[in-house]
Amino acid sequence: MTQAAKDGHARPSPETLAALKADLAGRVVLVEDPARVRKRSRDFFWYSPILDAELNGLSADILAEAASEAEVVAVAGACARHGVPLTLRGGGTGNYGQAVPLHGGVVLDVSGLDTVEWQRGEVVRTGPGIRMNKLDEALRPSGFEQRMHPSTKRTASIGGFVAGGSGGIGSVRYGQLRERGNIRAARVVTLEPEPRVLELTGDAVNGVAHAYGTTGIITALEMPLAPVRPWIDVVAVFDDVLAAAACGLAVGQDAAIGKKLITPIAWPLPQWFTPLKNVCPEGQAILIAMISEETLPAFRARIAAGGGRITLERPLDDAPGSVPLYEYTWNHTTLQVLKTDRSWTYLQSLHPADRLMESVAEMAALFPDEIVIHLELIEFAGQLTYAGLPLLKFTTPERLNAIIAAHEARGVWIANPHVYTLEDGTRHKRAEVDQLGFKRAVDPRGLMNPGKMRTFTPA
Ligand code: FAD
């Protein structure tokens, strides 16, 4: 079944595209070379064998490259006037086909909007296209850094993180991205014949956070910062992953330890971490952590008390040419495995905080031969808990769905990474009400990334 038949949206006709191009001629850089357009119509959906089958080959018709908000407004207005679908693109590192246009049209690359407007103490205002490592580089002399970043910090844009990401390195301290205060303000261009430019503050920023670019184009973001700390990358090894998880939780709960990342990973996943071979002994689980240097003595004591042994301590270095330990965590753990064996895939889970270790042990025991445990300690609704990105061998969609159902039946939430709609990918299987309402106001014809917000009905 074609996408159009599935969700009722149609591809623009050649006549419509010609009218759009005439409208934008000389105002914005447009690229029509099919190979270049297709390349920028892809993201990392291929992590999922199911999405790989569904999305491979889909492409926009035209790539537009915006270098300013005025150019974004020009593209938004033209798409609205001509009824052409518009899909945003930052770094293109999303995992669920978020940046893949299902119905052709325009893919708008906003990586040119990469200027830091200002920084005042613990707040920065920046264009959405700046890469997150460049932003931290720019901030460092002031003594501040971003509160959190995905493990793709070196390739992802801040706008793509806000529109498509959920959390990452730093979430053990600051929670997930959508938690109140983690995004201070967003400037948004609407998809209307005469686009409006809105400034969202407070809870209104949730209109665009994790909305897959279906609710307006972010042209500036105000993000809160944290003081820079001297982060040390650490690997500790344990006899089994439950001991690593229990010790990781104890480290998380210890107020004397400054931490940005706590990641228990079961064997055999470390066998694919080739550059870390010397510090990941055969058969042992590992705990990867980022610890503030002055609190290392307290951390070391916790590791010893938890039955672990530290095999690596080195200052964080994410300059070009080096590989920081966070590139073995979050969804980079999956990537390290997929680099050599594409038969693996993954899930995204959230364990209940009130019976955390019981829940982790229960799920480990339930699928001993099918699932390999990988956990990330995060703060969630004011409590520490483990999010999971467990790896599993893909057999059939039915088996995958049965494994998901078994998690959910035991109170472990799953955000399914094998679907491309916003609703199906959330724990609650619905779009946030504030986003549906906001979409009606900013994209009444449903032209933004059509097909991704399944429950939206165009006016
Ligand atoms: P893109 O992929 O370009 O876009 C993401 C979504 O945002 C798309 O729907 C796009 O249309 C929309 N969008 C982009 N720019 C705008 C804009 N200006 N206005 C409106 N909408 C826009 N995610 C995490 O949250 N945490 C992780 O730790 C993490 N680790 C990852 C590891 C690997 C190896 C990979 C492949 C992915 C990982 N991800 C993770 C997913 C992804 O890397 C992040 O969410 C990243 O922040 C996306 O940024 P991007 O610039 O690549 O976004």
Side-chain angles (χ1 to χ4, degrees), residues 43-44 47 87-95 98-99 110 128 132 149-152 155-157 159-161 163-169 212-213 216-218 330-332 335 449:
D43 62 13
F44 283 72
Y47 271 34
T87 304
L88 271 296
R89 181 185 176 88
T93 67
N95 281 122
Q98 290 163 318
V110 288
M132 296 185 79
H149 61 80
S151 60
T152 43
T155 40
S157 68
F161 184 48
S166 54
I169 294 92
Y212 294 10
I217 306 168
I218 300 167
W330 288 86
N331 225 357
H332 265 81
L335 177 63
N449 214 349

Side-chain angles (χ1 to χ4, degrees), residues 28-242:
V28 182
V29 173
L30 299 180
V31 178
E32 289 182 80
D33 169 32
R36 282 180 65 196
V37 180
R38 182 163 177 268
K39 205 169 161 203
R40 275 203 261 153
S41 300
R42 292 174 62 83
D43 62 13
F44 283 72
F45 63 81
W46 55 266
Y47 271 34
S48 159
I50 296 175
L51 290 183
D52 199 25
E54 286 185 318
L55 302 181
N56 205 357
L58 293 179
S59 177
D61 300 292
I62 298 170
L63 162 68
E65 295 176 333
S68 66
E69 187 181 83
E71 293 186 8
V72 167
V73 169
V75 174
C79 284
R81 285 189 294 277
H82 299 284
V84 173
L86 176 67
T87 304
L88 271 296
R89 181 185 176 88
T93 67
N95 281 122
Y96 328 112
Q98 290 163 318
V100 177
L102 301 180
H103 300 283
V106 172
V107 65
L108 175 60
D109 189 328
V110 288
S111 47
L113 274 70
D114 60 353
T115 308
V116 177
E117 285 179 36
W118 49 256
Q119 184 208 341
R120 293 181 198 134
E122 294 195 17
V123 184
V124 67
R125 188 173 171 100
T126 178
I130 191 165
R131 293 202 184 227
M132 296 185 79
N133 63 331
K134 294 274 175 226
L135 183 54
D136 261 355
E137 262 171 43
L139 293 168
R140 199 161 294 129
S142 72
F144 289 97
E145 63 184 21
Q146 292 164 94
R147 280 186 174 183
M148 70 183 74
H149 61 80
S151 60
T152 43
K153 179 185 177 188
R154 300 205 282 184
T155 40
S157 68
I158 184 80
F161 184 48
V162 166
S166 54
I169 294 92
S171 287
V172 65
R173 167 76 178 77
Y174 292 102
Q176 291 193 301
L177 186 59
R178 269 181 71 103
E179 284 196 31
R180 187 169 282 141
N182 280 336
I183 306 165
R184 299 242 325 191
R187 192 171 156 94
V188 174
V189 172
T190 66
L191 234 278
E192 298 172 289
E194 296 300 328
R196 290 169 293 146
V197 183
L198 313 175
E199 184 78 17
L200 309 180
T201 55
D203 286 352
V205 296
N206 287 332
V208 288
H210 203 73
Y212 294 10
T214 58
T215 54
I217 306 168
I218 300 167
T219 53
L221 284 164
E222 244 171 72
M223 302 297 283
L225 305 172
V228 172
R229 299 183 77 163
W231 297 114
I232 304 296
D233 275 356
V234 185
V235 177
V237 299
F238 292 81
D239 286 342
D240 72 85
V241 74
L242 293 182

Side-chain angles (χ1 to χ4, degrees), residues 382-394:
Q383 282 182 290
L384 281 177
T385 193
Y386 274 118
L389 290 97
L391 273 91
L392 66 159
K393 285 271 182 180
F394 180 71

